[in-house]
Each structure stands twice: as structure tokens, then as C-alpha cells.
């Protein structure tokens, strides 16, 4: 009887998919609890690369029940495309369950996301453009549409009509955009309702059935801690709770269900979109990391901003999410540099600060205080035992542990499913 949470401890794209994929093989059920198709999780399984966005990476473990829980926002078209993508590759989705409480991303959410980013101009968030923010706004504004609404043929058209009318007013009057046609959206929704009917259920009961039967539940987070609506670099964040706190409300379980919290940390730092990034590198080293790590967005193809590992944010993630172990990814990508650096504090107006500031104005003044390490080779993919890692790489790992007080339990040394070192998991 265990509940394991895996989530990103930086700004997303930490390489969560592959660790989830591994842990899923040990779990009885995999649950996504927040976010939507803004996520892009790449998993290489048996030499095949899969790109997933909404469906838990556990789907690649044959026969494993995978749940899209109530905290997720679902774009039905995107989900259907993802299901078809998996089916074309021989992956069955027979064990996929979607919460009847999950909110729907509608075409007007996508339109509003785009229009709002345009309107913000220089102040734009740099969203993925998938309507995530507008959908969560409707959820908290109590005007959203849920899966259970979609499944009710009689009442859905009435609810939808009201929503489309309201949104069209905003789209045309506030943004000067083109109104959307209610009839078109309704037709699309009706087709989706037929398609998704077999998948929709009360996932809360399903989760508790498994939990009470002593099964292991794996909770898969999308995005990352620093994109959390409360603890991230607000307003340059996503609109959900990627952190452990999101599991309770996003899946419908109590805190005692969670027995282990794995924070995925990339050996360096990346970020897409706008917002502060203290250890960002604007020089050739940053370009090299981007090139070596192929740091371009899975979803949008945007080049990711790259920099050294920032332990101020990782430590903040550990504290605010109760991380019990790190999964460290991309140690191979960081290999090959003569020297590597780790940020242990911020110099703000001549004072070293170790806690992550809330204010963007304060963050703008922060200069990284670095500790220097010797580099190691990037050729690590054959290593399976921790002792066999180069000494410099071990020193790097052990420094992260000492600094944060959190053990590093998994270390990624290559993209493949098996290219990983396990320490106590
Ligand atoms: P995975 O799960 C990295 C970022 C966007 C933008 C901000 C808000 O692959 O790690 P949104 O579309 O969510 O309203 O955009 O959040 N963002 C991500 N960055 N990885 C992700 O997911 C992200 N999902 C959203 O770039 O800065
Ligand atoms: Mg991504």
C-alpha cells in the first residue's frame, strides 16, 4: 500500500516521463492530477520514442490502469489525437479512465489564450497556447464545463450555449476577435461525447478501491514546481498545482495516502516562456547545453533557456513539496564540460539569500553565488552502479544531497528506459 508522487522540481521538462515510466512498472495504477496538454513527456521504451501530453506515461506498461483525474483540464480533440497516436503504435488504451469531474478545454479557451497573450505584448506569459489558463479561470470562476456535463445529452447544449455567448462577448468586445459558432462547437462536442463515453467514470472511487486493496498508486505531475500557481515565479507560471499539494485536490486522496515524493531534477536548469531565471546562461556554454541536450520544446518547439543547476529553487521545491528523494536526469548531457557550476545562494544587494524570493523585482536583482565542480565524461549510458560513476560526477550528486538533505535515488545516464542508476528505490 503506497502512494508515490513524481513531479518536476524545476520549470518543467526535467525528464519526468522516463522516471514515471520506470516507477509505473512497479505501480498498480498511474494517475495524472493536474495540467493538460501543455505537458510534453518523452519516453523511450524498447527503443521506440513516445511523446505524451495528457495520458499518463504508465500507459506504456501493458495493462496498467491509467487515470486522468479531476484536477486535469482536458482538451478532447488533443486527447483523441493522442489516443489514436498510441493505437497506431500498438499501445492499448483499454485501461484509460477519465474523471467525470475533469474540466473541459473548449475552443474559446484556446482562442482567449492566444488573444490574451497578444494583448499582453511585452508582458506576455509565453504560454503554450493550449487554453490552459482560461480553462482553469473558468473552473475557479465556477462557469466551467466538466466531463459529466458533456455526458448529459439533454442539458449540455443549454450549458454550452450560455458559455459560448458569454465568451463571444469577451472575444469580440474586449479583444476585437472573431466570435465562435455555437453550432460548430456543439457538433464537435457531441461527437466527442460518443467517443469518450467508455472512458469516463468516477475515478475517485476507482482510486480508493485500489488503495484499499493495498495497491500502489503512482501520481504523475506535469510542468514543475516553479510553474506552480502559488509557489512558482508568479505570474510567469501555469494555472495549476504541479507540486505535491496538487495531488489531494487533483485526484481526491488524503495526505496519508502519499508515502514517497520523488522530485525530478535536471542536472542543469531549463525554462521555456518568460519569467525570471537566475542561473540562465546567455553565452556559448548555454548554447552548448541547449545543443547537447536538444533543449527544444516537445509541445511548441521553442528553444529552451538553459543555465546551471540552481539549488535555491530545488531546495524550495523539496521543502514545499516534502520531497523524499530526487531523480536526477541528464547527468550524461552535463558531462563533457571542463568545469560545471551549481548555484547555492543568491546575492541580493550584497547579501547572500538561500530562500526563493516571491517578488520578481527582488529576483531581477539576484546574482547567482556558484560553487565550482570538475566536469566528467558524457559517456555514462553503460553505467548501472553508482560506484562506477566518475568521481567528479559522484561529488556533484553528493553535494546536491548534502545541500538539500534529500537523497538522490535515481540518476539518468541516457535517454533509454534502462539507462538509469537506482539507489534505494
Ligand atoms: P512538462 O510537463 C515546461 C510553461 C509555459 C509558460 C507557462 C504557462 O512538459 O514539463 P501554460 O500553457 O501552462 O499556461 O503556460 O508554463 N509550461 C511548461 N514549461 N514544461 C511544461 O510541461 C510546461 N507546461 C507549461 O512555457 O511559460
Ligand atoms: Mg515539456
Amino acid at each position: 500500500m503506497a502512494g508515490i508522487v513524481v513531479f518536476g522540481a524545476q520549470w518543467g521538462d526535467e525528464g519526468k516521463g522516463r522516471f514515471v515510466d520506470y516507477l509505473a512498472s512497479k505501480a498498480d495504477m498511474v494517475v495524472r492530477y493536474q495540467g493538460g496538454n501543455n505537458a510534453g513527456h518523452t519516453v523511450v521504451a524498447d527503443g521506440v520514442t513516445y511523446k505524451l501530453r495528457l495520458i499518463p506515461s504508465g500507459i506504456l506498461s501493458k495493462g496498467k490502469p491509467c487515470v486522468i483525474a479531476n484536477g486535469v483540464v482536458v482538451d478532447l480533440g488533443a486527447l483523441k489525437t493522442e489516443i489514436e497516436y498510441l493505437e497506431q503504435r500498438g499501445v492499448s488504451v483499454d485501461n484509460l479512465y477519465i474523471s467525470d469531474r475533469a474540466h473541459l478545454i473548449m475552443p474559446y479557451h484556446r482562442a482567449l489564450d492566444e488573444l490574451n497573450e497578444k494583448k499582453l505584448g511585452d508582458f506576455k506569459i509565453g504560454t503554450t497556447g493550449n487554453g490552459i489558463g482560461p480553462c482553469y479561470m473558468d473552473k475557479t470562476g465556477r462557469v466551467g464545463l466538466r466531463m459529466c456535463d458533456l455526458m448529459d445529452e439533454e442539458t449540455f447544449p443549454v450549458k454550452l450555449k450560455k458559455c459560448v455567448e458569454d465568451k463571444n462577448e469577451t472575444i469580440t468586445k474586449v479583444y476585437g476577435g472573431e466570435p465562435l459558432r455555437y453550432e460548430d462547437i456543439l457538433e464537435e462536442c457531441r461527437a466527442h461525447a460518443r467517443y469518450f463515453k467508455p472512458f469516463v467514470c468516477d475515478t475517485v472511487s476507482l482510486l480508493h478501491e485500489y488503495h484499499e486493496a493495498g495497491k500502489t498508486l503512482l501520481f504523475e505531475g506535469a510542468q514543475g514546481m516553479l510553474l506552480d500557481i502559488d509557489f512558482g515565479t508568479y505570474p510567469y507560471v501555469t494555472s495549476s498545482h504541479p507540486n505535491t499539494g496538487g495531488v489531494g485536490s487533483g485526484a481526491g486522496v488524503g495526505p496519508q495516502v502519499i508515502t514517497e515524493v520523488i522530485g525530478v531534477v535536471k542536472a542543469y536548469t531549463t525554462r521555456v516562456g518568460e519569467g525570471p531565471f537566475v542561473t540562465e546562461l546567455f553565452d556559448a556554454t548555454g548554447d552548448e547545453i541547449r545543443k547537447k541536450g536538444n533543449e527544444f520544446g516537445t509541445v511548441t518547439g521553442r528553444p529552451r533557456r538553459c543555465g546551471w543547476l540552481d539549488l535555491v529553487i530545488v531546495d524550495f521545491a523539496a521543502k514545499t513539496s516534502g520531497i523524499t528523494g530526487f531523480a536526477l536526469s541528464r547527468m550524461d548531457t552535463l558531462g563533457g564540460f571542463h568545469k560545471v557550476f551549481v548555484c547555492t545562494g543568491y546575492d541580493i544587494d550584497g547579501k547572500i539569500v538561500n530562500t526563493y524570493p516571491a517578488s520578481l523585482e527582488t529576483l531581477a536583482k539576484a546574482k547567482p553565488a556558484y560553487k565550482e565542480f570538475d566536469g566528467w565524461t558524457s559517456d555514462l549510458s553503460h553505467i548501472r552502479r553508482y560506484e562506477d560513476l566518475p568521481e567528479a560526477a559522484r561529488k556533484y550528486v553528493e553535494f546536491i544531497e548534502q545541500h538539500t538533505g534529500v537523497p538522490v535515488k535515481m540518476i539518468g545516464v541516457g535517454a533509454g528506459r534502462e539507462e538509469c542508476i537506482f539507489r534505494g528505490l
Side-chain angles (χ1 to χ4, degrees):
M1 189 171 75
I4 307 168
V5 182
V6 192
F7 80 110
Q10 291 156 315
W11 275 291
D13 304 324
E14 297 90 351
K16 298 176 284 290
R18 62 93 50 93
F19 294 112
V20 177
D21 175 53
Y22 167 76
L23 291 167
S25 65
K26 303 192 164 258
D28 299 297
M29 175 182 269
V30 187
V31 185
R32 257 289 290 274
Y33 57 90
Q34 49 70 233
N37 57 321
N38 46 351
H41 296 168
T42 306
V43 185
V44 183
D46 301 324
V48 184
T49 302
Y50 297 92
K51 291 187 188 293
L52 301 168
R53 300 181 63 178
L54 268 161
I55 300 177
S57 312
I59 204 77
L60 302 175
S61 298
K62 217 172 175 179
K64 196 131 302 183
C66 285
V67 173
I68 295 178
N70 58 280
V72 177
V73 284
V74 180
D75 181 317
L76 299 166
L79 182 55
K80 185 163 178 271
T81 303
E82 196 170 327
I83 290 173
E84 287 165 356
Y85 163 90
L86 286 172
E87 283 177 339
Q88 278 158 17
R89 282 159 184 77
V91 179
S92 161
V93 290
D94 288 351
N95 292 308
L96 179 67
Y97 302 90
I98 307 170
S99 168
D100 49 6
R101 289 185 166 85
H103 276 251
L104 305 176
I105 297 182
M106 302 300 288
Y108 46 78
H109 291 135
R110 286 193 300 272
L112 284 167
D113 196 355
E114 201 186 316
L115 288 165
N116 194 49
E117 284 281 275
K118 256 193 212 137
K119 184 165 179 261
L120 284 169
D122 286 348
F123 296 97
K124 73 174 193 289
I125 307 292
T127 72
T128 60
N130 290 299
I132 306 292
C135 182
Y136 276 116
M137 280 164 74
D138 277 3
K139 177 177 177 172
T140 49
R142 299 164 295 184
V143 291
L145 294 170
R146 299 181 295 165
M147 268 292 181
C148 56
D149 299 319
L150 180 74
M151 291 300 133
D152 190 322
E153 278 175 40
E154 256 178 52
T155 56
F156 185 74
V158 184
K159 290 179 184 170
L160 178 70
K161 194 157 201 284
K162 168 115 186 45
C163 288
V164 177
E165 277 169 8
D166 284 353
K167 295 302 172 198
N168 273 343
E169 222 179 310
T170 312
I171 288 171
T172 54
K173 293 188 184 158
V174 177
Y175 295 100
E178 287 296 312
L180 301 176
R181 265 175 55 88
Y182 160 72
E183 292 77 10
D184 295 347
I185 302 177
L186 180 63
E187 198 186 316
E188 205 183 306
C189 284
R190 280 186 168 143
H192 284 317
R194 286 192 293 275
Y195 181 85
F196 282 105
K197 201 171 172 76
F199 295 99
V200 179
C201 66
D202 169 10
T203 56
V204 174
S205 300
L206 188 66
L207 256 70
H208 284 274
E209 218 174 89
Y210 267 65
H211 179 62
E212 278 152 31
K215 309 273 192 193
T216 297
L217 310 181
L218 182 68
F219 298 97
E220 174 180 352
Q223 289 81 53
M225 171 63 203
L226 269 289
L227 290 170
D228 185 276
I229 186 85
D230 268 85
F231 295 111
T233 42
Y234 192 90
Y236 299 101
V237 292
T238 192
S239 299
S240 66
H241 292 289
N243 72 351
T244 317
V247 176
S249 59
V253 294
Q256 76 283 7
V257 170
I258 298 166
T259 51
E260 178 105 57
V261 181
I262 300 295
V264 184
V265 175
K266 208 182 256 186
Y268 46 94
T269 313
T270 61
R271 163 161 218 176
V272 267
E274 310 302 315
F277 179 174
V278 176
T279 61
E280 183 167 11
L281 292 166
F282 299 95
D283 57 5
T285 309
D287 292 340
E288 205 177 330
I289 294 178
R290 187 175 308 109
K291 206 166 133 211
K292 283 181 70 181
N294 190 25
E295 293 293 356
F296 295 89
T298 318
V299 176
T300 56
R302 290 179 289 179
R304 295 179 184 143
R305 300 156 64 191
C306 297
W308 297 119
L309 179 64
D310 182 347
L311 286 185
V312 179
I313 65 170
V314 171
D315 189 49
F316 184 53
K319 288 194 169 76
T320 50
S321 271
I323 295 177
T324 56
F326 290 130
L328 187 62
S329 68
R330 300 298 198 117
M331 278 298 278
D332 52 325
T333 305
L334 196 61
F337 287 97
H338 179 55
K339 295 277 179 199
V340 293
F341 296 83
V342 172
C343 171
T344 55
Y346 297 160
D347 180 335
I348 300 172
D349 295 331
K351 243 179 84 183
I352 298 293
V353 172
N354 302 106
T355 49
Y356 199 72
S359 149
L360 295 197
E361 287 68 33
T362 308
L363 273 169
K365 291 194 279 185
K367 292 182 193 69
Y370 283 124
K371 186 170 163 59
E372 184 184 300
F373 289 83
D374 286 335
W376 54 87
T377 170
S378 57
D379 181 21
L380 305 174
S381 60
H382 58 287
I383 298 175
R384 295 293 171 272
R385 294 188 325 172
Y386 181 69
E387 310 81 83
D388 296 336
L389 272 179
E391 194 192 348
R394 276 185 280 129
K395 278 194 172 154
Y396 191 81
V397 171
E398 283 156 32
F399 181 75
I400 296 171
E401 295 184 319
Q402 280 158 23
H403 190 85
T404 58
V406 176
V408 174
K409 296 192 175 179
M410 294 191 270
I411 301 168
V413 289
R417 193 181 232 172
E418 63 297 333
E419 287 167 355
C420 197
I421 296 169
F422 298 98
R423 297 167 81 212
L425 252 186

